[in-house]
Every structure is written in C-alpha cells, then in structure tokens.
Amino acid sequence: MADMKNAVAAPGQGGFDVGAALKESGKAAFVAGLLGLPLLALKADNFGSKLGLVYRWDALFIAIAAVFVGRFLMILLSGRQKKSEGGVFAAFGKGIHNNMALIGLAGLAIGVLLPVVYPDRYVIYIATTFMIYVMLGWGLNIVVGLAGLLDLGYVAFYAVGAYSYAMIATQFGWSFWVVLPLAGVFAAFFGVILGFPVLRLRGDYLAIVTLGFGEIIRVILINWTDFTGGPNGISGIPPITFFGLPFKNGDHGTFASFFGIDHSPVQRIIFLYFVILVLATLTNLFTQRMRKLPVGRAWEALREDEIACRSLGINPTNIKLSAFALGAMFGGFAGSFFSVRAGFVSPESFTFIESAVILAIVVLGGMGSQLGVVIAAFFVVILPEVFREFEEYRMLLFGLAMMVIMVWRPNGLLSFREPTIRLHPKKESA
Amino acid sequence: MLFHDLTRPGNDEIKVSDDSLLEIEHVTMRFGGLVAIDDLSFTARKKEITALIGPNGAGKTTVFNCITGFYKPTVGRVMLTHPRKGRYYLERMEGFKIAQQADVARTFQNIRLFPRMSVLENLIVAQHNALMKASAFSLAGLLFMNRYAKAEKEAVERAKYWLNKVGLYDRADWDAGNLPYGDQRRLEICRAMCIQPAVLCLDEPAAGLNPRESLELNELLLGIRDQEGVGILLIEHDMSVVMQISDHIVVLDHGRKISDGTPEFVRNDPTVIKAYLGESDDEDLPQTVKNDLARNAGKDV
Ligand SMILES: Nc1ncnc2c1ncn2[C@@H]1O[C@H](COP(=O)(O)OP(=O)(O)OP(=O)(O)O)[C@@H](O)[C@H]1O
Ligand SMILES: [Mg+2]
C-alpha cells in the first residue's frame, strides 16, 4: 500500500501525473479497440463464390497502439502548456519580448548584410517583396493593431500610392524622389476621406465599409480608362534613379560611371532593396516613437475603450482620422515603391486578396506587435515562395498554417505588449 | 403615487447659489415613451460632496450621462460654474468637450479602464489634452524636442502623486486589467482626477468593495474634497459611505427628485423611507414598518 501511495503522489508533485495519463490513454485505447474490432479486425471478403471473414489482428493492434500513444502525448503536451501558462511557445515569446531591442538590431543587420552575402537576383527580389509586405504590415498595424479599427480595404491606399507615381512620372516625368512624399500625402488624404464616413462605425460594420472602399478604388481604376489606363494599367513607368543617376550603361551621368564601376542590372535591384529597407525601417521607427506620444497613446486607448476616451476629453474623431491618415500614408509610400520597382501597374495588383494578406500579417503577428509583423510576413511571403514546387498544395498548407497558429496562439504569434513608459525598471522574466 | 407628487423643498440653505458648482435645472430625459428623468433640479456646491441616491433604475446614471454629455437632456439646463474658468452650459456642448474644456471628470458604474495598457499609461492618457498642447499635437515629441519631454515628466509626476495616494505606486507597470477589482475602482478615480477636474462625478465607486476598502474610499474622497478642493457628485448605494461623507443628498425615484437636503434630513424623510421600502400599497406593509414610518415622519414634520 505504502509503495502505491508514493507512486501516485510523487509524479503528482512533479506537475505531471503519469499514472492518470496512462489510465486516460488506456481508456482511449479501449474505446479504439471496441470500435476497431468490427471496423478493422473483421473484414468480409469473397472466397471464390462464398463470402467469408478475414481477420486482421495486426491492423487492430496498430490502431490501438496509435490511439494509446497519441492520447498519452496529447496529455503530456497539454500538461506542459498549463505549467508555463501557454506552453513552450509562450516561453519562447517571452524570451523574444525581453530582448526586443537586440532582436530588432540583429534583424536590421541581417537586412543590411543580405545583399552583400547573397548578391543573387532571385534572393534580393524575394527579400524586396518581403520588405514591402513588412512595411505594409507596419502601416496597417497603426490602424488595426494600435487604434483597433478593423480595415479590410488597406490595399486602396497602396493603390493610390502606386498610381500616384505611375501617373505623375509618365505624365510629367517627375522623379521618384519627388513623387514619393506626394504619394504619401495623397494616400493620407484618401485615408481621411475613408475615415470621415466610418467615424461612428466599429468592428464588423467598419470592416464592411472599408472593404467596400477598397473595391471602389479598384473599380474606379478599372473604369476611368482615360486617366488610369483601365484594365490595361499603366506601363513604361520610369525606373528608379540613384538620386538622379540612372542605372544603365553609359559613360556619363550614370550610376556605374559616377562610381567608376561596371554596370550590372543587379545594382538596380540591390538599390531598390535598400530603398524599401530604409522606408520600412522609417515606418517602424515612426510607429515606435508615435506609441510614446499623446496621439499614439490615444490610439491605443481608443482601441481599449472609446467611451472612456470621451470621458477624458479625448476627441475620438481626430484620433481616428490621424490613425487612418498615417496608416494610409505608409501604404502610399509602399505603393509608389511598388510601381517604381515593377515599372507597370494595373488594378489586378490591388484586389481584396492583397488587403486580406496584409491583414493576416498583422493579425497573425499579434495585433500591435512590430516584430510579430516581421515574423508573420515571413510565414506569409517567404514560405509559400520556398515551397513553390508544391504549387497546388501551397495555399492549402498556407491555410492550414494560419489555422494552426490561430488555434495555438489566438492573440497572434507575439501578443506581449511592452508599456510605452515605465516607472520601475523591467524585471527579467524567463 | 400620491407621495411622489409632493414637492419637498428640503433645507432652505441648499438654495443659496453663490458657491454653486453644478446647477441642474428642470432636466427631463426621455427615451421614447420612457421618462428616465422627470423635471429634475438640484444644485451641487463647490468643495462639497453631493450624493445622488435612489432605488435601482431611478435614473441616477442617466443624470450623470446628461451632465457628462453622453446623453443630451430632452429638456432643461445643466450649468457649471468652473472655479477657474467661468460658466459653461453643458447641455449645449459636444460630448468630449465637456471633459476637455469644462473639466468635468467621471467614472463609470461598470469600470472602464484601458485594460491592456499599464496603470501609469492609464493616468497619462488622462492628461492627453495637456500633453497634446505641450507637444504641438505630438509634433514636438516626434522631433524629440525638450518641451515634450518636460511636459511628459510633469504628467508622470502627477500620476505618481495619485498612485501614491491610493497605494498603487508599486504596481504602476501592471496592465490595468490585471489589477484586483478594488484597485481598478481606485485607479479609475485617479484617472479622473488626472484631468484636474472642476467637478468629479463618481458612479457607485464603492460597489464591490469590502468594508475596509470602503473605509479607504471614504478617506480618498474626503481628501479630494478637502485637499484638492474638488466638488464631488456621488452615486452610491452603500449607505455607510453616503451618510458618512456626503454634505448634501439628493434622492431620486422613478426619475423624480423626492428629497433633497442634509444626510440628517434625508435619513428621516418618510418619502425616502417609503421609496426604499418599495412601491407596495400601505396595506401590504407589515405593521412594524408602518409604525416605523409613522414614528420617523412624526420626528421630522
Ligand atoms: N439609453 C437608454 N435607452 C433607453 N432607456 C434607458 C437608457 N438609459 C437608461 N434607460 C432607462 O432609464 C432608467 C434609469 O436608468 P439608470 O441607469 O439611470 O438607473 P440608475 O438609477 O443608475 O440605476 P442603478 O442603481 O441600477 O444603476 C431605466 O429604466 C433604464 O432602463
Ligand atoms: Mg446606475
């Protein structure tokens, strides 16, 4: 008796009760056996002209064993998770949380060094696409993650930025560097236009109206043929210059001749990569700074409780509009970058699925988490690219991965929020 | 129903309006056919605690919502005499401006903190308007200018002052939503005080507090009245709080004022006693209660 008591008590103290787990697994295996006996072990088959039974005890045994082991592992894993409040993944998240600044710098260093280590066209191309989505994610994070306004039409601002550069550059020949800030201003203006009618809406209603707004912009782009080129879009958009020096062959006034090096097409691609890296980094720094300022804090307060905000004399109209405008502005910057890189824009690039992907990045990353956006963008942009061979399964796996993440971490990958100001030094937690 | 039609003037001294802070004049609030407040008038005075009591559904919270701009009264006037800034007619002002310009602060019956922001951040958000001004709509802050850093430091100092007052200093970096219930109530009061209000409206601040916490709350409210000199308008069901700290009590029932006076006066007002005992006809009341009523009524008339 004494021995048995010990055996039961000891594992209990360890936090994981092996005995109970075995018992539970045994039950599951028993049920599997009961079900499996008629379903697996006995099989009716034809013996020549007669019907007879085939016994498949091996199949039954495998099924029971699989259920037993599977159930045991499930209990083991869920037990672990309870212990560390959310499991291994949460502990991992906490580790990230405690070293945020370091991780940010390391990420930036990797970003800067990438073209040096891999000056490969394809790698840089993918990295550039990745950075565009990171920037869009950071921009949308202002609206959705911080201000808590669910925006399903973010791609509209991306489109406004893209068409701003495409039209101004092809019509007036203005340089990218002049149009870039303008594109941001235009997009911000559209952000305010969207903002006004939706000021009183929240949640689902807001989502529906913003979705409509995104579609309106796309439909205008398709139908206003004289102005936007309609479904054919705008082609022949002037490529980027190195602050006035074009990337092409030539002895005078080109990037290569200025620096006394040989021309190579990869130079332009690498330069584009650095441009988006800088733009995205600025977006991030801006947001990080805004969070510590009255407007940024009011965004988060608005997300938490709009009524409480009113009672404190915060003007919700201004705060919402500022979130829409600034979020849209970064979408506009990214858009004009998109068109200078591609040299061609058409309404097809700005469909609802783009908005959905950007929103997925923000939500998967953990609303409001800047690092989360990067990690989620990696999942959403890089992984499908890596698994390009599995063409037809790509979207299936993508959907599966999203579901797994949302079940596992319903608040997104990194849902920790660091206060924007502290009274006491941060305690390191494991 | 006969009792409700009696207009009770209460104490005459209440009518003195020299030092009046908030004057509610003939306010009526209708929701469709429902009259939530019916021709209500009363005055809350500076540096006093005015309690608004009444049975459930009497319309107390609706009065607060009319004062703080969440509802526009159907009829009537709400006038604030700001100790530093002059007169405001609150019923004409847009919701958030009542807090922004007239400095009317409030708390909510169901606590409304910013749960996923830290305790300190809650108190700094409350100082949003001052900080916006100091930072030129955040622009100065974006450019790392000194004037924003200075303003933020002042805001933190004010937050610290209040945190120390209610013993939340050590937990300043906690998420507000993780605080125990009583602390959340206190934090909400601190947050309201951080806007440096002219009048503080508290909707059932003692609800859910244990007796010890309730006593601490009394201290806090008396401190706000005496040290900060801020007038308080208080909705409260807990009579131990109301009777101990109020200077003046207004009793509502079915949207009407049924009594108005000092705690002493209201406690013995038979109309109040009847309202609290329920709407049943006299015949249904137990004999002992009837006796009680008769005795109390006799005392005061
Ligand atoms: N927005 C509204 N629309 C319709 N009816 C309302 C609204 N707000 C309040 N009421 C009604 O007005 C009456 C008074 O409600 P109120 O919340 O002011 O009562 P209260 O005195 O605060 O009660 P309690 O002690 O339960 O908090 C109730 O009958 C309520 O249903
Ligand atoms: Mg109420």
Side-chain angles (χ1 to χ4, degrees):
Chain A
M1 269 319 272
D3 277 351
M4 246 180 80
K5 252 186 205 150
N6 276 341
V8 174
Q13 282 157 0
F16 176 63
D17 191 342
V18 181
L22 284 174
K23 214 165 132 190
E24 173 70 28
S25 315
K27 274 188 208 158
F30 178 70
V31 173
L34 277 186
L35 287 174
L37 193 67
L39 291 174
L40 287 170
L42 306 176
K43 185 173 184 277
D45 210 344
N46 293 322
F47 292 100
S49 58
K50 285 188 294 180
L51 197 65
L53 273 179
V54 184
Y55 300 94
R56 298 187 301 179
W57 300 117
D58 50 343
L60 181 65
F61 177 75
I62 290 171
I64 293 175
V67 167
F68 184 82
V69 173
R71 181 76 194 128
F72 187 78
L73 284 179
M74 261 171 76
I75 297 169
L76 186 72
L77 286 178
S78 68
R80 281 261 169 78
Q81 287 205 347
K82 256 173 228 142
K83 237 187 298 174
S84 57
E85 268 183 49
V88 192
F89 216 85
F92 175 67
K94 230 171 202 168
I96 290 180
H97 177 64
N98 287 337
N99 300 298
M100 206 64 103
L102 209 66
I103 292 169
L105 282 177
L108 188 62
I110 292 173
V112 171
L113 289 178
L114 180 84
V116 182
V117 182
Y118 284 108
D120 174 66
R121 278 188 82 130
Y122 180 67
V123 170
I124 301 298
Y125 181 84
I126 301 295
T128 308
T129 308
F130 169 70
M131 286 315 294
I132 291 180
Y133 279 97
V134 168
M135 179 164 174
L136 288 170
W138 279 339
L140 185 61
N141 213 3
I142 294 176
V143 185
V144 178
L146 295 183
L149 303 162
L150 187 51
D151 183 353
L152 288 182
Y154 191 63
V155 78
F157 310 122
Y158 190 40
V160 167
Y163 272 80
S164 297
Y165 178 64
M167 292 196 289
I168 295 177
T170 51
Q171 299 295 318
F172 306 112
W174 291 11
S175 135
F176 173 73
W177 299 105
V178 178
V179 181
L180 180 69
L182 277 182
V185 172
F186 289 154
F189 175 69
F190 274 86
V192 174
I193 290 187
L194 166 66
F196 263 112
V198 300
L199 278 173
R200 298 159 141 270
L201 305 179
R202 284 191 79 80
D204 312 352
Y205 303 100
L206 177 65
I208 291 167
V209 176
T210 52
L211 183 126
F213 181 78
E215 285 302 290
I216 288 172
I217 295 281
R218 195 174 64 84
V219 169
I220 289 177
L221 292 178
I222 291 177
N223 290 300
W224 200 359
T225 317
D226 297 341
F227 202 52
T228 63
N232 297 330
I234 299 174
S235 54
I237 301 168
I240 199 163
T241 60
F242 186 82
F243 307 105
L245 300 172
F247 291 91
K248 62 181 180 194
N249 246 332
D251 292 336
H252 290 289
T254 66
F255 172 75
S257 69
F258 187 82
F259 288 96
I261 51 175
D262 288 335
H263 171 73
S264 150
V266 89
Q267 284 161 359
R268 187 174 69 89
I269 291 169
I270 290 180
F271 180 64
L272 277 170
Y273 170 75
F274 278 118
V275 169
I276 189 68
L277 189 65
V278 168
L279 285 177
T281 307
L282 286 178
T283 309
N284 183 26
L285 292 178
F286 177 86
T287 310
Q288 301 277 18
R289 182 65 191 157
M290 276 315 268
R291 280 191 63 210
K292 294 182 164 49
L293 297 178
V295 172
R297 291 205 180 108
W299 286 339
E300 292 199 71
L302 201 69
R303 173 193 71 202
E304 295 294 296
D305 196 324
E306 184 171 339
I307 288 177
C309 280
R310 281 173 198 274
S311 82
L312 297 173
I314 296 174
N315 182 347
T317 307
N318 292 351
I319 300 303
K320 280 186 192 175
L321 288 182
S322 68
F324 272 121
L326 290 172
M329 182 179 81
F330 290 112
F333 289 151
S336 64
F337 177 83
F338 170 85
S339 69
V340 78
R341 173 170 89 138
F344 167 73
V345 291
S346 85
E348 259 160 64
S349 308
F350 308 106
T351 52
F352 168 67
I353 196 74
E354 285 297 304
S355 288
V357 165
I358 303 163
L359 187 67
I361 288 174
V362 173
V363 175
L364 285 181
M367 303 253 249
S369 165
Q370 297 289 92
L371 185 60
V373 164
V374 180
I375 297 174
F378 184 83
F379 274 104
V380 173
V381 180
I382 305 272
L383 283 193
E385 207 54 53
V386 172
F387 292 108
R388 204 168 250 290
E389 299 130 65
F390 305 102
E391 277 282 44
E392 57 268 48
Y393 300 114
R394 240 175 7 149
M395 288 322 276
L396 192 71
L397 286 175
F398 176 59
L400 198 69
M402 291 245 246
M403 277 168 58
V404 167
I405 292 174
M406 286 334 275
V407 168
W408 208 352
R409 307 272 307 154
N411 293 323
L413 290 166
L414 298 178
S415 52
F416 293 98
R417 178 185 175 278
E418 173 66 20
T420 58
I421 184 168
R422 279 181 169 277
L423 219 49
H424 311 294
K426 189 160 144 183
K427 267 195 227 107
E428 291 292 318
S429 46
Chain B
M1 289 312 286
L2 189 71
F3 275 108
H4 296 171
D5 297 329
L6 294 175
T7 22
R8 302 198 143 254
N11 290 19
D12 281 338
E13 57 179 40
I14 299 297
K15 296 291 173 196
V16 179
S17 64
D18 277 340
D19 51 356
S20 80
L21 176 60
L22 199 57
E23 284 174 54
I24 314 289
E25 292 172 21
H26 303 289
V27 167
T28 297
M29 182 80 222
R30 289 195 201 99
F31 299 107
L34 181 100
V35 184
I37 314 176
D38 191 3
D39 193 26
L40 174 70
S41 302
F42 71 90
T43 302
R45 288 180 301 175
K46 286 180 183 131
K47 299 184 190 183
E48 276 196 358
I49 297 180
T50 305
L52 199 55
I53 65 171
N56 288 103
K60 306 178 297 291
T61 301
T62 308
V63 172
F64 266 32
N65 284 337
C66 287
I67 295 171
T68 53
F70 286 89
Y71 298 154
K72 291 277 159 253
T74 321
V75 182
R77 198 167 75 165
V78 182
M79 187 173 75
L80 174 83
T81 312
H82 195 298
R84 305 183 293 271
K85 295 186 182 170
R87 286 243 150 111
Y88 291 93
Y89 295 98
L90 301 184
E91 83 283 357
R92 298 182 199 165
M93 294 171 70
E94 203 184 331
F96 72 92
K97 283 191 179 146
I98 290 175
Q100 189 186 52
Q101 289 164 12
D103 302 325
V104 177
R106 74 170 288 181
T107 65
F108 295 87
Q109 191 165 352
N110 311 307
I111 304 173
R112 283 185 175 274
L113 289 168
F114 305 121
R116 279 178 304 166
M117 298 178 83
S118 76
V119 169
L120 179 62
E121 282 173 317
N122 268 268
L123 299 187
I124 290 182
V125 169
Q127 303 173 59
H128 174 84
N129 288 311
L131 285 170
M132 279 293 259
K133 214 179 274 170
S135 68
F137 303 99
S138 297
L139 223 69
L142 211 53
L143 303 172
F144 292 89
M145 276 159 67
N146 224 2
R147 58 189 263 211
Y148 174 65
K150 222 176 109 207
E152 191 184 49
K153 210 168 160 198
E154 270 170 34
V156 172
E157 285 308 318
R158 178 162 300 116
K160 275 186 185 170
Y161 172 81
W162 285 105
L163 289 174
N164 274 321
K165 271 220 154 155
V166 298
L168 281 176
Y169 185 84
D170 291 337
R171 282 172 286 173
D173 298 328
W174 283 35
D175 275 3
N178 290 344
L179 288 178
Y181 188 82
D183 289 332
Q184 294 199 13
R185 281 246 176 252
R186 274 190 285 270
L187 178 59
E188 207 190 11
I189 296 173
C190 289
R191 190 180 65 180
M193 282 310 292
C194 275
I195 80 169
Q196 296 176 275
V199 52
L200 177 64
C201 304
L202 303 173
D203 199 342
E204 300 198 18
L209 300 191
N210 63 36
R212 189 179 52 79
E213 288 176 320
S214 200
L215 277 180
E216 284 170 7
L217 180 74
N218 284 0
E219 291 302 309
L220 178 67
L221 298 190
L222 290 174
I224 288 173
R225 181 190 68 183
D226 299 333
Q227 284 151 36
E228 318 293 328
V230 173
I232 298 179
L233 196 57
L234 173 75
I235 295 178
E236 191 47 72
H237 278 297
D238 184 340
M239 284 306 141
S240 71
V241 174
V242 172
M243 291 301 166
Q244 271 176 41
I245 65 171
S246 319
D247 301 298
H248 166 199
I249 299 180
V250 176
V251 190
L252 284 188
D253 188 23
H254 291 294
R256 293 187 181 193
K257 183 166 88 174
I258 56 169
S259 186
D260 182 339
T262 60
E264 198 50 32
F265 172 81
V266 166
R267 199 198 327 250
N268 300 313
D269 189 336
T271 329
V272 176
I273 297 167
K274 182 169 161 57
Y276 268 88
L277 284 175
E279 283 302 297
S280 48
D281 291 333
D282 273 6
E283 290 85 86
D284 297 343
L285 287 178
Q287 193 56 45
T288 49
V289 174
K290 270 196 218 164
N291 290 344
D292 245 31
L293 278 174
R295 203 171 333 116
N296 274 320
K299 213 190 273 171
D300 236 85
V301 169

